[in-house]
Amino acid sequence: MSTAGEARARRRLLPRVPPLAPWLHADLVLVLSATALTLFGIAMIYSATRGIDPDAYSDFYLRRQSLFASVGGMLGAVVASVDYRRFRSLVWPLYGVTVLVLVLVVTPLGSVRQGARAWFVVGGYQVQPAEFGKLAMIVVLAHYASRFGGRLTLGQLVGALGLVALPVMLVLLEPDAGTAVVFAVIAMGVLLVAGAQARHIAVATALGLVGLALVLNSGLVEDYQRQRIDSIVNPAGDAGDTFNIEQAQIAIGNGGLAGQGYGQGTQTRSGLVPAQETDFIFTVVGEELGFLGSAAALALLAVLLWRIWRAARVAGDLFGSLLSTGVLCMVLFQVFQTVGMAAGIMPVIGIPLPLLSYGGSSILTTTMALGLVLNVSMRRHAVRAG
């Protein structure tokens, strides 16, 4: 049977249920924790961008993040409304579009910022294709790996890694080493749950590191690109990164137990911490709300991760479980990296803290990914029955 015929056959086999019926099983804890984190993030972005003089404050970041969050919530609801099994028919067009867009962004069509050509400018808004590529890769890998029934041979693993390798190389050429690492973490998590052997994953990781070293020492990347990628393994390798880490640690240290008060952080208001509304948003939490506020934020993130893990565990089929696993790996690694970076124990690489950091592409990707998890969770009974 042709691929198109298989897709039509799958659609015919899907049980017909009233459109609103799955919402009776929606995970309200997931929805509420995500909403609380989003609102908390908007509040911290407002504080991070106030500056020393409140009279000179521009609400640019506040307005845009509120808009991104609203649109993201609607997109997440749309993703949750369509039976996730129907996404299988879109996998290969989605993969093709993702690769094409990642190719285009490293051409002169892409916009350069902070030494990386990683954005398109559309109507005054910056769009980062690699962020959306993470979600596309989760869907592609989950579809590919779920076809083998929970056990991957070496050949099937190589095929999956081949699917990941091309987007990762394109992202490295931007260069965006942080997002490339997120791609790799997603792939390892999904493929391990899909039945790949740990020793095969270890060998593939070693080969990937060797390939990265060869690329760095070839003529494929410029010196400034090589320096950005080197920051993964050498976080204090240049003065700029050392300064970033020191300022972040000072800010968190200023917070103490209860913090200096919302909107009153001295490091935050003076703008000494770079990118404090994006990559270093957690330093704002630490300085102004202290250990207690930081613990509360981490507790909310832990609840969110727990519900994503639960969706993967109770999913009605392997495809749904792998979708949720991919989202879990993406969110968990980004939380670990950004919090660790703010504390000075992880490299300084540009990864947003999910739902808290400023950025349209980031919050739209995260909310759609959570919509996918919600989709899997609330259809678990229908999938088993079907």
Side-chain angles (χ1 to χ4, degrees), residues 260-329:
Q260 294 188 335
Y262 178 69
Q264 302 303 314
T266 53
Q267 293 287 108
T268 299
R269 295 193 66 183
S270 61
L272 289 173
V273 181
Q276 60 187 13
E277 74 278 5
T278 54
D279 302 345
F280 282 95
I281 189 69
F282 196 73
T283 64
V284 183
V285 180
E287 181 174 43
E288 298 190 346
L289 305 182
F291 173 80
L292 296 177
S294 300
L298 291 175
L300 274 175
L301 286 164
V303 171
L304 182 70
L305 289 164
W306 165 49
R307 302 312 287 183
I308 300 172
W309 171 82
R310 178 181 178 275
R313 188 173 61 85
V314 303
D317 61 359
L318 183 57
F319 178 51
S321 182
L322 294 180
L323 287 174
S324 299
T325 297
V327 176
L328 177 65
C329 292

Side-chain angles (χ1 to χ4, degrees), residues 98-383:
T98 299
V99 171
L100 175 62
V101 174
L102 289 175
V103 169
L104 292 177
V105 80
V106 296
T107 70
L109 293 174
S111 174
V112 178
R113 191 180 72 177
Q114 296 178 344
R117 189 181 295 274
W119 293 266
F120 292 119
V121 177
V122 181
Y125 292 88
Q126 289 188 320
V127 179
Q128 188 174 7
E131 279 292 319
F132 299 102
K134 294 185 294 190
L135 182 56
M137 188 51 56
I138 289 171
V139 178
V140 170
L141 281 175
H143 167 75
Y144 174 88
S146 65
R147 297 181 303 159
F148 304 113
R151 184 171 180 81
L152 294 181
T153 65
L154 181 58
Q156 292 160 351
L157 174 62
V158 170
L161 294 176
L163 291 173
V164 180
L166 181 56
V168 167
M169 289 301 299
L170 291 170
V171 171
L172 283 173
L173 289 176
E174 295 179 0
D176 185 351
T179 301
V181 173
V182 178
F183 271 78
V185 170
I186 289 170
M188 286 190 290
V190 170
L191 295 176
L192 279 171
V193 173
Q197 296 186 43
R199 67 175 185 273
H200 292 162
I201 293 288
V203 171
T205 301
L207 292 175
L209 292 174
V210 171
L212 177 61
L214 292 174
V215 169
L216 291 176
N217 289 283
S218 71
L220 295 177
V221 294
E222 302 293 339
D223 288 341
Y224 77 90
Q225 294 175 317
R226 187 179 296 108
Q227 291 168 3
R228 288 175 63 92
I229 297 173
D230 283 344
S231 68
I232 286 185
V233 294
N234 190 15
D238 63 49
D241 284 344
T242 303
F243 176 81
N244 295 349
I245 293 173
E246 289 176 351
Q247 296 304 315
Q249 290 176 323
I250 291 171
I252 291 178
N254 287 345
L257 179 63
Q260 294 188 335
Y262 178 69
Q264 302 303 314
T266 53
Q267 293 287 108
T268 299
R269 295 193 66 183
S270 61
L272 289 173
V273 181
Q276 60 187 13
E277 74 278 5
T278 54
D279 302 345
F280 282 95
I281 189 69
F282 196 73
T283 64
V284 183
V285 180
E287 181 174 43
E288 298 190 346
L289 305 182
F291 173 80
L292 296 177
S294 300
L298 291 175
L300 274 175
L301 286 164
V303 171
L304 182 70
L305 289 164
W306 165 49
R307 302 312 287 183
I308 300 172
W309 171 82
R310 178 181 178 275
R313 188 173 61 85
V314 303
D317 61 359
L318 183 57
F319 178 51
S321 182
L322 294 180
L323 287 174
S324 299
T325 297
V327 176
L328 177 65
C329 292
M330 180 183 77
V331 176
L332 177 60
F333 178 76
Q334 291 186 200
V335 170
F336 179 78
Q337 163 61 34
T338 50
V339 174
M341 183 176 69
I345 61 174
M346 292 295 288
V348 178
I349 52 179
I351 295 180
L353 182 56
L355 299 179
L356 272 70
S357 292
Y358 172 81
S361 298
S362 172
I363 197 166
L364 293 180
T365 298
T366 304
T367 50
M368 286 192 291
L370 294 176
L372 196 58
V373 173
L374 183 63
N375 192 329
V376 171
S377 176
M378 67 190 196
R379 285 180 172 80
R380 62 191 184 278
H381 302 298
V383 171

Side-chain angles (χ1 to χ4, degrees), residues 67-81 367-368:
L67 174 62
F68 297 148
S70 300
V71 174
M74 291 186 287
L75 288 176
V78 170
V79 171
S81 298
T367 50
M368 286 192 291

